[in-house]
Amino acid sequence: QVQLVESGGGLVQAGGSLRLSCAASGRTFSMFDMGWFRQAPGKEREFVAAIRWSGSSALVADPVKGRFTISRDNAKNTVYLQMNSLKPEDTAVYYCARKMTPFSGGVLTSTEYAYWGQGTQVTVSS
């Protein structure tokens, strides 16, 4: 079983920044695209960002475009989400996820991912 552990969440005022980290187990981390999703109270889990297995390209959802940046360090088996200019509507539990298949496939829907972390809470106050 692949294990993913998120960290870096917390309480921040609107306009502030946080950097989330996701540490992954296993020797095949660099073979898989990675994604970040979030889930607010009473809402469905939504796509936030994804990054290609090699780190060569990334995709960011419209609500966070220009504010969030996804990156990865394959040598450390870690993926990051840099969150700037945070807004109250960004408040959610943020989840790291690994794709079901290596080197290919879509990234926008949760059904494309096989493994999920426990989540880390991000709360943005106004």
Side-chain angles (χ1 to χ4, degrees):
Q1 179 99 9
V2 172
Q3 293 183 332
L4 304 173
V5 181
E6 302 98 333
S7 62
L11 175 64
V12 65
Q13 292 186 4
S17 298
L18 288 172
R19 188 178 74 159
L20 307 184
S21 298
C22 172
S25 65
R27 299 180 62 187
T28 59
F29 174 79
S30 62
M31 297 172 61
F32 292 87
D33 299 345
M34 299 291 294
W36 286 96
F37 288 74
R38 67 185 182 184
Q39 188 166 22
K43 303 292 185 179
E44 295 183 358
R45 189 169 299 184
E46 66 172 342
F47 172 79
V48 176
I51 187 166
R52 184 64 62 194
W53 58 272
S54 63
S56 61
S57 63
L59 182 65
V60 182
D62 286 342
V64 302
K65 191 173 298 181
R67 300 187 296 118
F68 291 11
T69 302
I70 187 171
S71 62
R72 68 190 297 163
D73 186 341
N74 286 346
K76 297 181 178 179
N77 274 24
T78 302
V79 62
Y80 305 95
L81 185 68
Q82 179 66 49
M83 309 164 69
N84 298 327
S85 301
L86 283 162
K87 304 175 180 180
E89 51 262 45
D90 295 320
T91 296
V93 177
Y94 284 71
Y95 297 91
C96 174
R98 197 206 77 178
K99 282 290 302 294
M100 185 177 299
T101 57
F103 301 122
S104 64
V107 296
L108 296 178
T109 61
S110 60
T111 56
E112 297 283 353
Y113 297 83
Y115 299 98
W116 297 81
Q118 83 288 346
T120 185
Q121 177 70 49
V122 172
T123 302
V124 184
S125 62
S126 60

